[in-house]
Structure formats: C-alpha cells, structure tokens
Amino acid sequence: MTTKEFLQQLITNPEQLSNLVEEAIEMAFQQGFLFRTCETPNSSEVVTYAPFTLFPSAVPKARLVQALEVQTHFNTLVDKISQDPDFLEEALASTIQADDFTARLVSIYRQVQQEGQTQSIVVGLNRSDYMVEQSMDGTSSLKQVEINTIAAAGFGVLDRLPEVHRHILRTTGLLKESECVQDTNMTPAMAAALAKAWEVYGQKKAVILFLVEDVQISQLTQRYSEIELWNRNIPVIRRKFEEVSRRGSLDGDKRLFIFLNQKMRLFITQNSYIGTQLAGTKKIQQVLASPGVLEKFFPDQPQVVEQIRATGLYTLDMGPEGDQTVAMALTNPHKFVLKPQREGGGNNYYGEDIVQVLQKFKNDQRRAAYILMDKIQPRTEQNIPLRKGLPPRLTTVSYEIGVFGAYVRYEGEMILNEALGPVLRTKSIEHDDAGVVRGVAMFDSPLVV
C-alpha cells in the first residue's frame, strides 16, 4: 500500500485518524518540534507543536538533487552582488524612486560604502525556494520562486521533523516509504559556518550575538542553533533589536558597542550585510533573469549560468517594456504574481488584486516598486495538515522546496560554501501565499521518489 492509498483509507476511519494524529503530535513533542503559542509568544511556559503535515510529501528525486546542486552557485552569486555597488545602484535605480523601504536600505548601503569601512569576515545564511511544476504530459521541472537572504527561517527545528515522519510511516506499515525520508542535519552545518567565522576572527573571548525580534514565537527553534554553538565551546548571547538600538553606540572606527551591564560591553564591527539584503530583493532577481546579466558574475562559466538562470520575471519600470508588462498582467491576471520588494509570506498579489494595484499605478512611477512573475503551476499532493486548533482533514496541498545555503568569506576569499539541505513548506491549494508563522503553511519532509 502506498501513502496515497493509506490516506484514502484513513479518512474513512475517524478513530484511526484521531489516534494517528495524537501519536504524531506526541512524537513532535518528544522530538522537541515546538513553537511558542500565539497567545503567549514571549513565554515558554506554554508551548505547542510547530505546524506540520501528518505524512511527508512526495518529491521527485531529480528535482531535489537539482535544487541542491545549484545552491553553492547561488551562495556565490549573492556574495558577489553584495560587493558590487555599481550593479546594485543601476539595478535598483527605478525601485528606490518608488519604494521607500528599499530606498532606505540603499541609503544605508551608500553610507557604508562612502565611509570605506570593510569587514574582513562575512557569513551568509540564505535559502533558495522552488516549486516543482507538473506538465500535462507528466514530466516535472524545477521553478525558482525566490532567494531569501534575510527571511531564511527554519534552522534548528526542521532537523527534528524527519524522525516524526519516519515514525508515522513505520507505525502505519509503510516501511519502504520510511526509508525514503532522509535526515537533514542542517543545524549542525549552519553552526559550523558560524563557528568557522568565529575561528578566523581569532579572538577566544569573542561571542556570537543572535539579534531577535520582540515577538518570538519561533524562539525555541533558534535555541537549537545556539546549543550547537555552545557544544563547540563558542559562547552565544541573544539581544532584542530594541535593546541594541537603545544601548548601542558607535566609536570612531564604526564599531558598534552594546552595553550589557555596568561591567561589560560588546562591540560589533560595522558590516556589509546590507548589501546581502539588497541582493535578495525581487528587483535584483528580475534583473538577473535578463540576458547577459548572470554572465557578468560568472564569466566563462556558461554551464553555471544555464543552471541558475530564472525565467518568467518581468520589469514594471516606466517605459515601453514596463508598459507591455502592465498590459500583459491586466489581460491575464490569474497567470501572474505581483511581488513587492519584501521577504517573508503575505506580501504578494494574485488574480483580481493584481488588477486593482496596476489600475491604480499603471501610469505612475510607483509601479516600479513591484515586479511581475509567471504564476507557477505546482505539483499537488494529498496530505493532512496538523496545526493547533485546526481539525485534521484530507487536503490537496502544494509545497515549496527550500534549500539552505551557507558561506564564509574571509579577506576576499570564499573559505566555506555549502548547500545545507532541503525543507518543505506545504500549504493548502486554497491559499495563494504561504508562511508558517502566518498560520498558512506547514513544515514538511521530502519523501524522495
């Protein structure tokens, strides 16, 4: 019996379904697959299981391997773009006229460039997201959704989900399928990248600082990363952004000092990570899809260019090309996604919402705050989403494959460049946009087929 066949049988037996769901949730607690609750996001007194699917979702092996193989190239690309102010200025010239958020980032980036402060050590942790598009003839292809250089969450907790899924498959007699769910070990690999940077920094008293938001539903997942570092005898502290803003000050060398208490203070060298954030903007991804652009960053490497070139992204800059994009979107809005310059779920526009935005801005510079992308028609599966307060039911879902990457650059040389492993984020096809913390998507594991 396959997983699909078992699911069809399971929904006809409410008692068996209830027992299996309870077992899966208990296993999630046992593995530490936990979130804080929305009601008490800043307290660990009350926790719940992180949202996940009852069964792992089937992913074609060829597509998964393809996504993993190109991640080191994307690491290199992000790092090169972050160090190329001329390219960033040219690519984002129209966007900063229309989008205040991106304009502020570019302003900070310019200030750092003008002050001439360079950082000898740079660590990059990012995630490249894909969907598997299914053709009418049954063949599949990998389509990139986006690169996340800031909103690349998932480290820590996700290594604990494969064991939950394997247990459920074994419990239901699907032993062969259980062997197709692989461990990820992303958290140790991520910690190794941070440890490498700490090592080349060369100060044994140095600590790694985790900057966290005020609302911390997923804080428990971050703790696993910290534990990995403590296990390597690398001290870790965490501080909220507000606290750093309130207690921090810059010295003449642009080092940020944070006063921890009356006897201690911490300094952080001014860094170039703002360039990394700009490299992850949607406009940059659209520009990279244009002929001849990737070749600038990978000269004499046509195979790499071919492997990572995205298609189906369109400019909304003022001018004939942008006008053509507007007309195309207004004619067939359900074929596209309208994207602003943000990371994380919940920001995109679909269908008639695209029409409303573009009708308002079609002759206005403000349209350049967005890009247009072909809407991917993803492979769908049957699964049962598990989330606190959500009754379990058989649901048609689609997933995004996220591949984490890490790199360390030291004095201009890439000394670590790795693909850390995949994660699935799965949602009902009733939803266009995703986001686990937003309450739409669930964590999932690849069942490699």
Side-chain angles (χ1 to χ4, degrees):
M1 182 182 296
T2 64
T3 304
K4 187 175 182 179
E5 292 169 337
F6 184 84
L7 277 168
Q8 294 298 327
Q9 174 186 302
L10 185 63
I11 60 172
T12 66
N13 190 329
E15 182 178 359
Q16 185 183 14
L17 172 59
S18 177
N19 290 338
L20 192 60
V21 167
E22 183 178 358
E23 184 161 358
I25 292 173
E26 289 177 352
M27 187 66 177
F29 271 92
Q30 182 181 358
Q31 291 294 317
F33 190 72
L34 304 174
F35 267 10
R36 290 173 169 178
T37 65
C38 294
E39 295 77 16
T40 57
N42 292 325
S43 172
S44 298
E45 291 287 333
V46 180
V47 298
T48 186
Y49 57 93
F52 67 105
T53 56
L54 182 58
F55 288 91
S57 293
V59 179
K61 181 178 180 180
R63 303 287 79 82
L64 189 61
V65 170
Q66 181 183 357
L68 288 166
E69 285 182 342
V70 298
Q71 184 57 43
T72 55
H73 299 320
F74 280 115
N75 293 344
T76 300
L77 178 62
V78 167
D79 187 53
K80 286 184 175 182
I81 291 174
S82 72
Q83 301 175 75
D84 194 331
D86 292 339
F87 173 77
L88 286 170
E89 289 278 358
E90 181 180 356
L92 295 172
S94 60
T95 306
I96 62 177
Q97 299 299 317
D99 183 67
D100 290 341
F101 177 74
T102 307
R104 287 196 298 270
L105 292 179
V106 171
S107 177
I108 296 170
Y109 183 73
R110 288 170 176 167
Q111 181 179 346
V112 173
Q113 294 293 315
Q114 290 171 0
E115 291 174 348
Q117 299 291 329
T118 60
Q119 185 162 323
S120 61
I121 306 170
V122 173
V123 182
L125 302 173
N126 59 76
R127 191 188 71 223
S128 187
D129 293 336
Y130 307 88
M131 284 184 173
V132 177
E133 188 166 69
Q134 200 78 22
S135 302
M136 295 296 292
D137 61 3
T139 59
S140 64
S141 58
L142 193 70
K143 300 289 186 179
Q144 188 179 48
V145 178
E146 61 188 355
I147 302 173
N148 296 282
T149 59
I150 298 298
F155 289 110
V157 70
L158 291 171
D159 290 338
R160 296 163 186 273
L161 186 56
E163 185 55 38
V164 176
H165 278 143
R166 281 195 295 265
H167 175 77
I168 292 301
L169 290 170
R170 295 183 192 120
T171 299
T172 55
L174 298 169
L175 302 180
K176 183 178 180 181
E177 283 81 355
S178 71
E179 297 173 357
C180 298
V181 179
Q182 303 169 352
D183 286 327
T184 55
N185 296 316
M186 289 179 289
T187 308
M190 183 275 283
L194 294 176
K196 186 67 174 177
W198 181 86
E199 175 187 325
V200 296
Y201 188 69
Q203 298 289 335
K204 292 187 177 181
K205 292 184 178 181
V207 301
I208 292 179
L209 170 67
F210 278 62
L211 284 173
V212 298
E213 297 176 309
D214 290 337
V215 178
Q216 303 174 58
I217 290 177
S218 60
Q219 175 167 306
L220 296 176
T221 71
Q222 301 162 7
R223 292 294 190 190
Y224 297 126
S225 304
E226 295 177 23
I227 291 170
E228 285 288 340
L229 290 165
W230 279 110
N231 288 341
R232 297 167 182 264
N233 295 317
I234 299 175
V236 178
I237 62 173
R238 60 169 46 229
R239 291 293 182 271
K240 294 180 180 180
F241 284 101
E242 183 276 333
E243 183 179 1
V244 172
S245 176
R246 178 165 44 87
R247 296 187 176 185
S249 62
L250 291 175
D251 71 359
D253 293 324
K254 302 301 178 182
R255 297 181 300 178
L256 173 63
F257 282 83
I258 304 170
F259 290 84
L260 305 179
N261 55 46
Q262 292 183 346
K263 296 182 180 180
M264 294 179 60
R265 65 177 184 169
L266 170 76
F267 76 85
I268 310 170
T269 54
Q270 178 168 286
N271 63 65
S272 58
Y273 294 128
I274 194 73
T276 304
Q277 184 167 0
L278 290 172
T281 57
K282 303 301 180 287
K283 182 60 180 179
I284 292 297
Q285 293 170 34
Q286 178 260 307
V287 170
L288 290 172
S290 303
V293 179
L294 279 174
E295 287 82 353
K296 165 183 168 64
F297 297 101
F298 295 97
D300 304 318
Q301 293 180 275
Q303 185 176 2
V304 172
V305 171
E306 180 66 23
Q307 286 177 323
I308 67 175
R309 176 151 359 243
T311 59
L313 294 104
Y314 311 97
T315 182
L316 282 164
D317 289 355
M318 301 302 292
E321 189 177 358
D323 293 342
Q324 183 178 354
T325 300
V326 171
M328 183 172 64
L330 292 177
T331 302
N332 295 293
H334 295 285
K335 290 186 177 181
F336 301 100
V337 182
L338 186 67
K339 294 186 170 186
Q341 310 303 313
R342 301 294 185 274
E343 292 189 22
N347 298 303
N348 298 333
Y349 296 89
Y350 301 83
E352 291 306 314
D353 290 337
I354 294 178
V355 176
Q356 292 183 22
V357 174
L358 290 184
Q359 286 287 12
K360 182 178 180 180
F361 296 142
K362 64 179 180 181
N363 297 315
D364 191 310
Q365 172 67 36
R366 285 176 290 179
R367 78 187 193 190
Y370 305 87
I371 67 160
L372 194 73
M373 178 179 174
D374 286 342
K375 187 176 182 181
I376 301 169
Q377 303 302 317
R379 173 189 177 113
T380 60
E381 301 287 337
Q382 296 288 300
N383 215 319
I384 298 176
L386 301 181
R387 179 186 291 276
K388 181 189 176 187
L390 181 71
R393 64 181 180 89
L394 188 64
T395 305
T396 302
V397 299
S398 63
Y399 55 75
E400 287 186 13
I401 303 172
V403 177
F404 290 99
Y407 64 86
V408 179
R409 172 165 46 87
Y410 177 54
E411 294 185 347
E413 179 184 352
M414 194 80 84
I415 60 173
L416 184 148
N417 185 3
E418 295 180 350
L420 306 188
V423 60
L424 299 191
R425 290 172 299 127
T426 299
K427 62 178 179 63
S428 167
I429 61 170
E430 297 173 357
H431 301 288
D432 284 316
D433 224 336
V436 174
V437 176
R438 288 182 57 243
V440 176
M442 272 67 59
F443 290 125
D444 197 350
S445 300
L447 177 69
V448 184
V449 295

